Amino acid sequence: MPVLLTSLLSAALLFGGWYSYREFVVQEPLQKIVSAYEGVNDSHISIKRNEVTLKLDLQPGTKLRELVQYVNTEGRSAIDGRTLKLDVEQHSSELLDEYWDQAMFSVAEAMESRKYTLIPAKLDELKAQNSKYSSVTAATEIDDNNVYVSLSDGKKSKFMILPRAAATMGVWNNA
């Protein structure tokens, strides 16, 4: 009986301590850092061994690159060498979806050729070609890892995170 009680108490202390450390020393400070950034409505953080995933609900016009830079800088101790992955909740409209569908080919071509300066030019060109897109505001930002494209019509928003390191193409499932 004493051995069983000692084992149960040890296991409870071990796992309770591990959970408390992860919750109060790692996750809670990172949650405060992300929530303090202007434009973040809501956030949920998931921390795994090699990855920190931020599920974000953002206001239109929030600058993703600056948010990523802020989180990487201020939350360096909590991230601790893990990869930061963003999952942004989309509050899109038909107009924004249609605009992005029209621009996607040109954006993909610019990404493939690594001519990132063509992306804002193509988005502006599409806006100039069709007057129904005049209310759409397109913003592009870039960092070492990603190109961030934000579309907004004032009330709704759509955020795309395009990795600069292209994935290797294999056989497509639907080919």
Side-chain angles (χ1 to χ4, degrees), residues 116-133:
Y116 305 114
T117 56
L118 292 177
I119 295 172
K122 293 294 183 180
L123 292 172
D124 290 341
E125 181 182 314
L126 178 62
K127 195 168 148 179
Q129 287 175 353
N130 197 332
S131 63
K132 73 178 178 180
Y133 300 132

Side-chain angles (χ1 to χ4, degrees), residues 26-92:
V26 177
Q27 194 162 343
E28 188 175 310
L30 190 58
Q31 182 75 36
K32 286 180 183 176
I33 290 168
V34 172
S35 297
Y37 191 81
E38 186 179 340
V40 176
N41 291 333
D42 191 28
S43 63
H44 176 72
I45 299 172
S46 173
I47 299 175
K48 297 180 183 167
R49 174 174 274 193
N50 297 324
E51 182 179 85
V52 175
T53 303
L54 298 177
K55 292 185 180 185
L56 301 170
D57 181 9
L58 302 175
Q59 295 174 0
T62 303
K63 298 186 182 296
L64 279 175
R65 184 192 59 80
E66 291 176 9
L67 173 61
V68 170
Q69 185 177 17
Y70 175 75
V71 170
N72 278 327
T73 304
E74 297 296 320
R76 182 176 296 137
S77 62
I79 294 172
D80 193 29
R82 296 177 182 100
T83 305
L84 183 64
K85 181 181 171 190
L86 297 179
D87 182 11
V88 181
E89 189 175 323
Q90 301 296 334
H91 298 287
S92 189

Side-chain angles (χ1 to χ4, degrees), residues 34 40 93 96 100-101 103 114 119 128:
V34 172
V40 176
S93 65
L96 295 177
W100 180 245
D101 288 343
R114 296 181 183 258
I119 295 172

